[in-house]
Amino acid sequence: MDTAESAGPAIVRSIFAARLSPQHTHMSQSDLFSWNMERDPVLRSTIVSVLVLDTEPNPDHLLRTMDLGTRIVPRLRHLLVAAPLGLAPPRWAPDPDFDLSWHVRRSVLPEPADMSAVLEFARTEAMTGFDQARPLWRATLLSGLDGTRCALVLTVHHSLTDGIGGIQIATALLDFDRMGTDHGRPPEPRADSASALRDIMAWNLAVGSELVVSGVRSTPPTVRRALRDPVRAVRDGVALASSLVRLARPITTTLSPVMTRRGLGRRVSVLDVPLEGLRDTARATGCTLNDAFLTAVVIGLRTYHIRHGATLDQLRVTMPISLRTPDDPLGGNRITLARFALPAGIAATADLMRAVDTAVSGWRREPAIPLSGLVAAALNRLPVRLLTEMLKHVDFVASNVPGSPVPLYIAGARIDRMYSFGPTIGTAVNVTLTSHVGTCNIGINADTAAVPDAETLTECLAEGFATVLRLGSEHASQSGGASALETSRPSYKPRPTSV
């Protein structure tokens, strides 16, 4: 048996053993921040994922799989209930009328039943709000894609999970062969027995205890450092304060002179890029895969501006930084959103990538990143309108989600492509990379007020990825070797599909 296949059930068992801890009752401060932002619908936090399947899944098996998912991640059966007088964030409570058949739907694609029809459905989902009287997700199977293929469109609110959390859920939920994988006995949903008052008191006590415990733990080391090296202690304190200011500072200007408007319309498109090709380029420059991805996006956006007769030196990005640890439960958000400027005016691709690497590395090392929850708690007390206007001056979102290196199946159907369309959250465009079995599936979600010609943007992003891939190919040729890109796709150019 293949090593990856034999490891699959073991991975699932380890997830059940290590991650099925009780879910937090209340929204985290970071989730509350994104929830409050939705008072402005432009900042709607809807994630749409499209799984392209090689055949139609077994209907009964699919329902069993989705039912398993709601037991692995109890929030998929939960509603958000507001706390009286706002004394605590909204809490997650079981939906007494949960109906799986309402959340799992089926439809036949209209003619021509091609990928464009799937993307048309996906963009409509991205623009559609959730029924807050029900759990915040839905799944729609679209049959008839190019004959025998299908597409499963998953729509979830960002408060249910982040990108890495979604991949972890998929690992626990999906199969590693067409015949299916034994996921063990799922837990039964638990009833909600807490009263509102007792729940609020428990939340405030838990938050207070956490602050006290963390303070007790950090005080002795801090005192020792101050006594041993007072100058460094002061310097570290100033650095932390400065970092907090950089993380939370207001943004009042848009760096892009072209993508300035914001609206409710969305257009989505996809690109497929060889994973090993991006890795070749990253190795050639001494950078990371994420640097290669970001550089391709920056070059694509720069090309888009040139086509509109504009030049730019920088673009501002919102980049999710994962804070997830091995002890975190499945689902939920364990990220912070860093907003910073990336260079865009450097002509040489390798030099641009190294400059991107410097910018990203600096933000990953920011002292304030572990305190993002406290920053979110402070921002939650500011007027919402002030925060929404700040977010609308960021140019784009870029997210890199490591996926599965081995084939995955759902209800007997193999997943051939896995595209994610993250929310724009006030920016002009969200570009999300999900790696899946050797291919980077790129999902592009553009605000049509900022980008009225989404097809042009997609073509420019394709050129950006082609430019980055060529750098890896040229380096392999100069070193006398053949990169994976050269041996598998000698004339590769990303081909966009958009709607």
Side-chain angles (χ1 to χ4, degrees):
M1 180 181 294
D2 183 77
T3 303
E5 293 183 1
S6 62
I11 294 173
V12 173
R13 285 193 293 271
S14 69
I15 288 175
F16 269 99
R19 298 191 180 277
L20 287 179
S21 58
Q23 299 288 296
H24 297 294
T25 305
H26 287 273
M27 268 188 160
S28 69
Q29 291 293 344
S30 297
D31 289 343
L32 180 61
F33 178 81
S34 64
W35 185 256
N36 287 338
M37 292 305 97
E38 291 205 4
R39 296 177 191 176
D40 184 339
V42 172
L43 301 175
R44 188 169 287 152
S45 296
T46 302
I47 301 174
V48 180
S49 295
V50 174
L51 310 184
V52 179
L53 311 179
D54 72 333
T55 189
E56 188 166 334
N58 179 280
D60 294 335
H61 189 177
L62 180 62
L63 279 177
R64 290 196 302 270
T65 299
M66 302 309 294
D67 180 70
L68 172 65
T70 66
R71 298 171 191 276
I72 293 175
V73 186
R75 282 190 188 178
L76 296 177
R77 287 177 174 258
H78 286 188
L79 301 168
L80 273 175
V81 180
L85 303 178
L87 296 176
R91 68 186 182 94
W92 298 98
D95 177 8
D97 302 313
F98 180 75
D99 182 359
L100 183 64
S101 65
W102 189 90
H103 293 273
V104 182
R105 308 166 181 187
R106 181 169 181 165
S107 183
V108 179
L109 286 168
E111 294 294 336
D114 54 14
M115 194 62 191
S116 293
V118 175
L119 296 180
E120 174 62 29
F121 182 87
R123 86 176 187 94
T124 303
E125 287 287 277
M127 294 187 294
T128 304
F130 288 94
D131 180 356
Q132 296 185 19
R134 299 179 184 271
L136 306 176
W137 69 278
R138 50 187 176 263
T140 307
L141 180 67
L142 303 176
S143 59
L145 174 61
D146 296 336
T148 60
R149 294 194 302 161
C150 290
L152 182 62
V153 180
L154 306 174
T155 309
V156 301
H157 192 273
H158 210 317
S159 60
L160 293 178
T161 187
D162 53 37
I164 294 178
I167 293 298
Q168 290 179 342
I169 293 171
T171 303
L173 181 65
L174 301 176
D175 300 322
F176 292 88
D177 57 54
R178 204 177 290 275
M179 299 303 295
T181 304
D182 182 10
H183 293 291
R185 182 179 177 82
E188 292 296 326
R190 293 185 299 176
D192 182 28
S193 59
S195 69
L197 179 59
R198 186 164 67 248
D199 194 67
I200 291 171
M201 293 176 62
W203 179 81
N204 283 279
L205 179 61
V207 171
S209 300
E210 184 178 352
L211 291 174
V212 170
V213 170
S214 62
V216 169
R217 288 175 177 172
S218 62
T219 298
T222 301
V223 171
R224 286 195 298 269
R225 284 196 300 269
L227 292 174
R228 187 168 55 245
D229 191 347
V231 174
R232 180 177 178 182
V234 172
R235 187 169 61 244
D236 290 347
V238 172
L240 177 59
S242 300
S243 181
L244 286 168
V245 170
R246 286 192 292 273
L247 187 65
R249 74 185 187 281
I251 295 175
T252 58
T253 58
T254 306
L255 293 179
S256 168
V258 174
M259 306 183 303
T260 57
R261 298 185 62 238
R262 301 292 185 262
L264 294 176
R266 298 292 180 267
R267 290 284 178 183
V268 299
S269 56
V270 297
L271 294 170
D272 291 326
V273 177
L275 176 60
E276 197 59 32
L278 286 186
R279 284 177 175 164
D280 284 345
T281 303
R283 286 191 288 262
T285 55
C287 297
T288 68
L289 176 69
N290 189 61
D291 296 328
F293 163 59
L294 284 174
T295 302
V297 175
V298 168
I299 293 174
L301 291 174
R302 184 178 67 195
T303 304
Y304 179 78
H305 281 74
I306 291 172
R307 291 198 186 186
H308 285 269
T311 59
L312 43 80
D313 294 323
Q314 291 182 315
L315 285 168
R316 187 174 287 114
V317 63
T318 289
M319 191 183 77
I321 297 178
S322 178
L323 305 176
R324 192 171 291 273
T325 70
D327 296 326
D328 287 326
L330 285 173
N333 281 275
R334 302 294 184 272
I335 60 172
T336 186
L337 298 177
R339 298 163 295 125
F340 56 96
L342 288 175
I346 301 174
T349 305
D351 293 340
L352 176 60
M353 193 175 304
R354 294 187 185 98
V356 166
D357 174 73
T358 299
V360 173
S361 298
W363 267 95
R364 290 191 185 278
R365 292 193 298 266
E366 281 285 344
I369 292 297
L371 302 178
S372 58
L374 295 177
V375 174
L379 293 176
N380 284 333
R381 285 156 177 78
L382 295 177
V384 171
R385 181 174 177 80
L386 174 65
L387 299 175
T388 59
E389 289 305 312
M390 178 177 71
L391 292 174
K392 292 177 183 178
H393 290 296
V394 179
D395 298 304
F396 71 104
V397 183
S399 182
N400 173 17
V401 182
S404 174
V406 298
L408 294 175
Y409 299 80
I410 182 168
R414 187 184 67 234
I415 300 172
D416 288 338
R417 292 287 186 271
M418 187 180 292
Y419 302 105
S420 290
F421 304 98
T424 59
I425 52 174
T427 70
V429 60
N430 181 309
V431 185
T432 299
L433 180 156
T434 306
S435 58
H436 181 67
V437 197
T439 300
C440 296
N441 301 148
I442 312 293
I444 304 163
N445 184 12
D447 183 328
T448 55
V451 185
D453 50 349
E455 286 191 7
T456 300
L457 174 65
T458 304
E459 293 172 0
C460 293
L461 289 171
E463 290 182 20
F465 279 100
T467 300
V468 168
L469 291 171
R470 277 196 301 271
L471 178 61
S473 178
E474 291 168 0
H475 181 269
S477 298
Q478 293 170 1
S479 61
S483 67
L485 173 63
E486 289 178 303
T487 56
S488 60
R489 302 192 186 195
S491 58
Y492 182 85
K493 183 177 180 180
R495 289 192 292 268
T497 302
S498 62
V499 63

